[in-house]
Amino acid sequence: MTKIEFAQLMKQGPILLDGATGTNLMSAGMPIGVCPEAWILEHPEVLLQLQREYVEAGSNIVYAPTFTGNRIKLQEYGLEDRLEEINTSLVKLSKEAVAGKALVAGDMTMTGQQLFPLGEMMFEELVDIYKEQAKVLAAAGVDLFVVETMMSLQECRAAVLAIREVCDLPIMVTLTYNEDGRTLFGTLPETAVVVLQSLGADAIGINCSTGPMEMVDAVRKMAEYATVPIIAKPNAGLPELEGRKTVYRMTPEAFAEAGVELVKAGASILGGCCGTTKEHIRALANAVKDMEMIKPLATHRRVLTSERQNVEIDLDGNFLVVGERINPTGKKKLQAQLKEGKLDLVREMALEQEANGARILDVNMGMNGIDEKEMMKKVIYEVSSTVDCPLCIDTSYVDVMEEALRIYPGRALINSISLEKEKIEKLLPIAKKYGAMFILLPLSDEGLPKDIDEKKQIIETIYERALELGMAHEDIIVDALVATIGANPEAARECYETVEYCKETKKLPTICGLSNISFGLPERSYVNTAFLTMMICK
């Protein structure tokens, strides 16, 4: 199935997923503590009957039971050497069950091991683990992928990147949320939407977690940011203990009524998780079949994120400060610490800037005497763990930028992309791949633009290149390119005109390196203040 075909399917009305697999297998006799994938292969008739019943009840998509079919989980049962056989056979079973009447999704989830810096697994190792399973599932003939029951946004990113580097099949992603409305690692529903749709996920939502009514608020928040369909796959109510057994008491009728509220909140792909049966799916399908869906947003909102916080850049919104202290240029103490591999001052600078009102933090590790790529990665881990501000990645090297964007657990800002040949040809595709926003710097291989007309022409050229590559208008912020008035008396006036052009003509936000205006002058703070006041007023 292509991404276009998936998008067309989503327009046909609410799409129904299947219901629970695990709880129904246990009801059919699967013991606690066995490998579910291996048990299914030993009892194929149980899965065949279950998935046939889901299709008859109205499911348009069923999940192949490959949920824990990754190397790490199979290793717990000594079955890692059978990964290809197990995943391939399970997809074949599901395809036999649906008999062409529904799509089969390759199901992937967490490994159970913590990512660095909380655990020992490195990001690239996790990508490789997901790639291994994704390759097998794609080769086995799945129609699309689902990455589900995720607690970590960073692990979602690893899975999406892995699948995208293996094939072009559609990807659905669903996370689980706690009672406070955040994942276990502190991610809000709207943050997950911004990051994952920018990364290329085709549908995003929630599964497991709670009963359906408890999901309504989170779905509504997702809908405020989503340019892709929203998924809701709740449990049959909240779990209860009956002796030593976990039970779900929500009736199919109550489940279906709640499903109607989920569609009203913005969900267009619905199913059931723990405790749901064919009766729940049938009731849900009947309840929502004629409902009008809330369409995804036609345009993106301009949002940067960390793993725990969104920062929206509104063309008519409040002025935002980008903290640029985490840069060794001219800072001997910071340079000395970085050469020693110490990050105490980096951590201190991050906390101080956040406390003083910075909404975005620029990170630059450009200096002699260190491995810039490795230091950039260390600093991103450190700063991301220390503060909630989204990051702006600042480096002159394309390979450093890609490594930084790859491991950053949010949606970053690239500082910057100019019309210089290497930047425009190599950095724009990287920005697209990792879902980053970027600062458009109106420079070319010829150097600074000679006048405002040339500056506008460069802005237009980079802008059009980005859109041709599939990026959105909202992915771009323009650098006003502040020069010092000590060398060019027209520098301030040219910046004002650039801001007016971007805001009024291009409808693009602008950013500036404020202190450049006063370089080499006395009483710089007064010059900076006057210039900034005028820039904000524009």
Side-chain angles (χ1 to χ4, degrees):
M1 181 181 223
T2 67
K3 291 166 71 71
I4 294 174
E5 289 170 338
F6 180 82
Q8 290 299 319
L9 175 64
M10 295 303 111
K11 295 177 182 178
Q12 296 178 15
I15 299 300
L16 271 292
L17 305 172
D18 56 13
T21 297
T23 51
N24 285 308
L25 293 180
M26 292 177 72
S27 296
M30 184 178 76
I32 295 174
V34 302
C35 174
E37 289 79 10
W39 189 88
I40 291 169
L41 292 178
E42 293 167 1
H43 305 82
E45 69 286 348
V46 176
L47 181 81
L48 289 170
Q49 180 181 343
L50 177 64
Q51 293 194 327
R52 283 168 181 158
E53 289 173 347
Y54 280 141
V55 174
E56 291 168 4
S59 295
N60 307 111
I61 301 173
V62 301
Y63 292 7
T66 55
F67 182 66
T68 52
N70 62 70
R71 184 200 324 152
I72 300 299
K73 297 302 291 185
L74 291 177
Q75 202 168 44
E76 295 175 11
Y77 305 98
L79 298 172
E80 65 273 22
D81 292 340
R82 293 180 59 196
L83 184 148
E84 182 174 358
E85 171 207 340
I86 287 172
N87 281 274
T88 301
S89 298
L90 292 173
V91 172
K92 184 179 179 181
L93 266 182
S94 289
K95 290 176 79 70
E96 180 183 344
V98 304
K101 298 175 183 177
L103 300 173
V104 173
D107 195 357
M108 298 168 63
T109 192
M110 299 174 72
T111 65
Q113 293 192 11
Q114 295 276 23
L115 273 175
F116 181 85
L118 293 177
E120 295 182 358
M121 181 177 286
M122 301 307 294
F123 184 78
E124 208 57 46
E125 182 183 355
L126 182 59
V127 172
D128 288 343
I129 288 167
Y130 283 138
K131 266 188 178 181
E132 182 179 33
Q133 187 182 13
K135 283 179 183 177
V136 174
L137 292 174
V142 297
D143 299 295
L144 69 161
F145 282 86
V146 60
V147 180
E148 65 157 330
T149 322
M150 303 296 283
M151 301 177 191
S152 161
L153 179 60
Q154 185 70 321
E155 293 188 31
C156 292
R157 291 185 68 256
V160 172
L161 283 171
I163 296 167
R164 279 281 165 264
E165 290 175 359
V166 165
C167 66
D168 293 324
L169 293 175
I171 304 171
M172 304 191 299
V173 184
T174 55
L175 298 92
T176 65
Y177 291 87
N178 299 326
E179 291 181 0
D180 63 358
R182 292 178 180 265
T183 67
L184 181 65
F185 293 87
T187 300
L188 292 165
E190 54 268 41
T191 301
V193 166
V194 169
V195 172
L196 295 172
Q197 70 187 10
S198 299
L199 201 61
D202 300 281
I204 301 159
I206 311 169
N207 81 289
C208 206
S209 307
T210 64
M213 287 308 297
E214 291 81 5
M215 279 189 183
V216 170
D217 186 54
V219 167
R220 189 176 291 115
K221 288 177 180 177
M222 285 184 162
E224 294 175 1
Y225 290 82
T227 58
V228 297
I230 297 171
I231 306 164
K233 203 172 194 281
N235 297 333
L238 297 173
E240 299 177 27
L241 277 177
E242 191 176 84
R244 298 180 63 183
K245 184 180 179 182
T246 301
V247 297
Y248 296 85
R249 300 190 185 280
M250 192 172 210
T251 65
E253 294 73 25
F255 187 81
E257 289 175 9
V260 169
E261 297 305 311
L262 286 168
V263 174
K264 290 179 180 178
S268 56
I269 305 175
L270 300 104
C273 207
C274 302
T276 56
T277 64
K278 62 180 180 181
E279 285 79 14
H280 289 85
I281 298 304
R282 181 176 288 108
L284 178 63
N286 290 332
V288 304
K289 63 182 178 181
D290 296 322
M291 289 188 69
E292 185 174 344
M293 299 181 298
I294 295 176
K295 295 180 181 179
L297 299 178
T299 58
H300 295 265
R301 292 173 68 166
R302 193 176 282 112
V303 183
L304 295 171
T305 86
S306 64
E307 194 169 15
R308 300 173 297 278
Q309 185 180 90
N310 285 6
V311 172
E312 186 152 6
I313 301 167
D314 189 337
L315 198 60
D316 297 310
N318 293 332
F319 167 73
L320 302 176
V321 174
V322 179
E324 292 191 311
R325 293 284 297 155
I326 306 175
N327 184 331
T329 304
K331 301 182 183 73
K332 292 184 178 180
K333 186 176 179 181
L334 178 58
Q335 291 176 8
Q337 281 205 1
L338 293 177
K339 286 180 179 178
E340 294 174 6
K342 295 180 180 178
L343 299 180
D344 297 10
L345 195 52
V346 167
R347 190 164 49 248
E348 181 183 319
M349 287 175 169
L351 289 166
E352 284 181 352
Q353 289 179 106
E354 184 179 55
N356 289 327
R359 299 299 306 282
I360 302 161
L361 297 186
D362 188 272
V363 176
N364 184 314
M365 288 292 110
M367 62 172 278
N368 294 325
I370 64 170
D371 182 330
E372 183 177 339
K373 184 187 295 184
E374 289 306 310
M375 186 57 70
M376 177 67 84
K377 290 162 67 175
K378 289 178 182 178
V379 170
I380 286 174
Y381 282 127
E382 187 68 32
V383 175
S384 298
S385 301
T386 301
V387 297
D388 290 338
C389 294
L391 299 188
C392 177
I393 312 300
D394 191 355
T395 177
S396 300
Y397 298 100
V398 172
D399 61 329
V400 176
M401 181 65 73
E402 178 159 23
E403 284 292 313
L405 293 175
R406 194 167 178 85
I407 66 163
Y408 179 63
R411 189 181 193 215
L413 179 64
I414 292 174
N415 186 10
S416 53
I417 300 179
S418 67
L419 197 54
E420 295 164 291
K421 183 178 176 62
E422 184 178 42
K423 298 291 181 68
I424 193 75
E425 291 183 356
K426 295 183 179 179
L427 276 183
L428 272 181
I430 288 172
K432 169 65 175 172
K433 176 176 180 176
Y434 295 100
M437 292 177 61
F438 74 93
I439 295 172
L440 187 163
L441 183 65
L443 285 175
S444 70
D445 287 318
E446 305 302 318
L448 291 168
K450 61 180 182 294
D451 54 34
I452 188 64
D453 289 333
E454 185 179 350
K455 184 188 280 190
K456 291 178 182 178
Q457 184 179 0
I458 293 172
I459 291 170
E460 188 67 32
T461 301
I462 300 172
Y463 176 84
E464 290 299 329
R465 292 268 191 94
L467 266 55
E468 288 170 5
L469 200 63
M471 298 190 73
H473 171 85
E474 295 78 16
D475 295 337
I476 304 168
I477 301 171
V478 178
D479 193 321
L481 196 60
V482 178
T484 174
I485 55 173
N488 176 13
E490 295 298 312
R493 192 187 307 277
E494 289 174 0
C495 285
Y496 301 150
E497 191 171 344
T498 301
V499 171
E500 287 180 338
Y501 165 73
C502 289
K503 184 175 181 180
E504 302 302 328
T505 303
K506 299 298 295 180
K507 306 300 180 185
L508 292 170
T510 48
I511 189 171
C512 74
L514 174 61
S515 62
N516 291 347
I517 196 72
S518 63
F519 185 77
L521 299 178
E523 304 293 348
R524 295 184 65 183
S525 63
Y526 295 108
V527 178
N528 293 345
T529 300
F531 176 68
L532 177 60
T533 302
M534 291 293 290
M535 289 286 276
I536 293 173
C537 290
K538 293 295 179 183

